[in-house]
Amino acid sequence: MRRHTLDARMTASRQGARERIHDVTEVNADPRNSVLIKAARGEEVPYTPVWFMRQAGRSLPEYRKVREGVGMLESCRRPDLVTEITLQPVRRHDVDAAIFFSDIVVPLAAAGVDLDIVAGVGPVVAQPFRTRADLERLPELTPDMVTDITESVQLITAELGGTPLIGFAGAPFTLASYLIEGGPSKNHENTKALMYGDPQLWNDLCARLAQISGAFLRVQAAAGASAIQLFDSWVGNLPLDDYLRFVQPHSRTALAAVDDLPGIDVPKIHFGVGTGELLGAMGEAGADVVGVDFRVSLDAARERTGNQYALQGNLDPALLFAPWEPLAARVDEIVAAGRRAKGHIFNLGHGVLPSTDPDVVTRVVERVHSLSAR
């Protein structure tokens, strides 16, 4: 009975979203001509586009409602739930893009890795990867392993109209860290021990993960995503020289996986946490847009990347808890700095925190749009 009620509620909610989204985007029915995609390409735009990492998630009561009694991995593999959750922040906040609802470990699970996403902890791998024999447990990812992802993207894009969908995947370094550590880690000691101690095994593992990440991005782009983002959440733990040696070649491979899709040209966003010293190298890995976390100003990021890329970011998620006046002032500063960049997509410097007031997020979107209108 609960499942039938949930399905009926999502059907009605999606119908309302379809009407609202199509009303907004009717004049601009091709997401490739949307403000966000133009900004990603460094083209002139009528206003600064905005979306938020983790905009679909625990900060929304409607998200918590549809996730009741459904595990995270199951939520990511059910096209009805993926569609509903992906659309929720577009309805509520009027953001300029949807981000595909998934998790960076979904392609690993699809490839057969025994893992779970534990509430309050994150991804947990049953048998951590530490030896060459472990590599044999990690096959390449093929499209037939993720047909539900194709279905989900097609359902979402059919309802979004001209609003672009951003597909995403985890970058090889971050995925390797989860596999080697067995879960989240503060120091990544096992990851670094393997990386420095057995460079050949490290590179072989990351090459396999680059194939998996790239294939996951490629499936989403082929199904209709208008842009893709590669998340490297933990790579800020490395110095630049080690990034160039151990990481950049594999991230480049993952990003390049969408380059030769017939008739499809999607902008590529590359984001990491604590990566202020790596921004130029992350752009050189094949990005069109470099994501900037809240620790580095957009002006500094523009200088460090030689103004060769559009920038994305970078409001501190914690500032969404501040009084409106200082929050609005920081939003204004970021919008102004973004105008000096080759292109700018307003976002947070990391994800929306679970206890964030959704009304504040909506208010920030409204301010960015009104303040940046040309």
Side-chain angles (χ1 to χ4, degrees):
M1 180 64 70
R2 191 194 70 81
R3 170 66 182 271
H4 291 161
T5 302
L6 172 63
D7 291 345
R9 185 165 63 243
M10 290 196 301
T11 299
S13 185
R14 288 199 299 269
Q15 178 62 35
R18 182 185 300 112
E19 294 171 358
R20 192 203 70 78
I21 293 168
H22 284 183
D23 284 346
V24 171
T25 61
E26 187 175 35
V27 177
N28 181 27
D30 189 344
R32 293 174 298 181
N33 295 326
S34 65
V35 175
L36 183 133
I37 298 303
K38 287 184 175 181
R41 298 193 186 286
E43 300 174 8
E44 289 293 324
V45 292
Y47 60 86
T48 300
V50 53
W51 71 279
F52 300 95
M53 288 177 281
R54 294 184 189 155
Q55 65 185 18
R58 289 172 290 172
S59 65
L60 300 182
E62 55 267 42
Y63 168 84
R64 296 193 295 270
K65 192 170 186 179
V66 300
R67 278 284 318 281
E68 287 178 0
V70 185
M72 182 61 179
L73 275 177
E74 180 186 350
S75 299
C76 295
R77 303 302 299 271
R78 274 181 51 185
D80 58 340
L81 266 178
V82 173
T83 300
E84 165 64 14
I85 294 170
T86 301
L87 292 175
Q88 285 176 348
V90 182
R91 301 180 197 130
R92 178 183 276 266
H93 302 311
D94 196 27
V95 286
D96 295 290
I99 177 72
F100 186 66
F101 177 72
S102 188
D103 189 276
I104 63 172
V105 299
V106 165
L108 297 181
V113 176
D114 184 3
L115 59 82
D116 193 13
I117 302 175
V118 179
V121 178
V124 176
V125 179
Q127 293 179 283
F129 283 53
R130 304 283 171 79
T131 68
R132 180 159 296 278
D134 292 320
L135 188 59
E136 302 306 315
R137 298 191 278 125
L138 190 64
E140 292 190 352
L141 185 74
T142 56
D144 60 286
M145 296 175 178
V146 286
T147 55
D148 57 292
I149 303 300
T150 295
E151 181 183 352
S152 296
V153 171
Q154 291 172 341
L155 287 171
I156 294 164
T157 54
E159 300 206 19
L160 281 174
T163 300
L165 173 67
I166 301 171
F168 81 91
F173 177 86
T174 292
L175 294 182
S177 180
Y178 276 119
L179 289 177
I180 295 167
E181 302 292 342
S185 172
K186 291 183 178 180
N187 300 313
H188 307 277
E189 58 268 32
N190 293 305
T191 303
K192 292 181 179 181
L194 191 150
M195 184 175 71
Y196 297 123
D198 193 341
Q200 186 60 56
L201 176 57
W202 170 263
N203 283 312
D204 290 346
L205 173 60
C206 285
R208 182 66 53 82
L209 292 170
Q211 187 281 325
I212 290 172
S213 294
F216 199 62
L217 293 173
R218 188 179 177 91
V219 163
Q220 293 170 80
S226 300
I228 57 96
Q229 175 159 306
L230 189 67
F231 282 88
D232 214 347
S233 305
W234 308 128
V235 78
N237 287 278
L238 294 181
L240 177 59
D241 287 348
D242 289 346
Y243 175 84
L244 293 172
R245 177 184 175 190
F246 293 112
V247 178
Q248 189 192 63
H250 304 295
S251 294
R252 181 181 289 115
T253 297
L255 286 165
V258 300
D259 286 349
D260 63 346
L261 285 166
I264 297 175
D265 182 16
V266 294
K268 296 171 286 187
I269 308 167
H270 199 5
F271 172 77
V273 180
T275 52
E277 300 302 319
L278 310 180
L279 293 175
M282 291 178 72
E284 292 167 359
D288 300 293
V289 183
V290 175
V292 185
D293 79 5
F294 56 89
R295 298 167 181 83
V296 179
S297 71
L298 289 185
D299 283 332
R302 177 171 53 85
E303 293 176 3
R304 295 179 188 188
T305 58
N307 205 28
Q308 297 182 64
Y309 314 97
L311 300 178
Q312 179 175 276
N314 67 333
L315 181 70
D316 185 341
L319 279 175
L320 295 174
F321 296 83
W324 176 249
E325 287 189 5
L327 169 57
R330 183 59 58 86
V331 169
D332 295 357
E333 292 173 5
I334 292 170
V335 170
R339 287 183 175 137
R340 296 188 283 272
K342 178 181 178 180
H344 180 220
I345 299 168
F346 190 97
N347 207 311
L348 302 181
H350 203 183
V352 177
L353 298 171
S355 56
T356 303
D357 182 349
D359 292 340
V360 175
V361 176
T362 302
R363 196 174 180 187
V364 168
V365 174
E366 292 170 348
R367 187 167 188 93
V368 172
H369 284 165
S370 62
L371 178 70
S372 63
R374 314 295 198 253

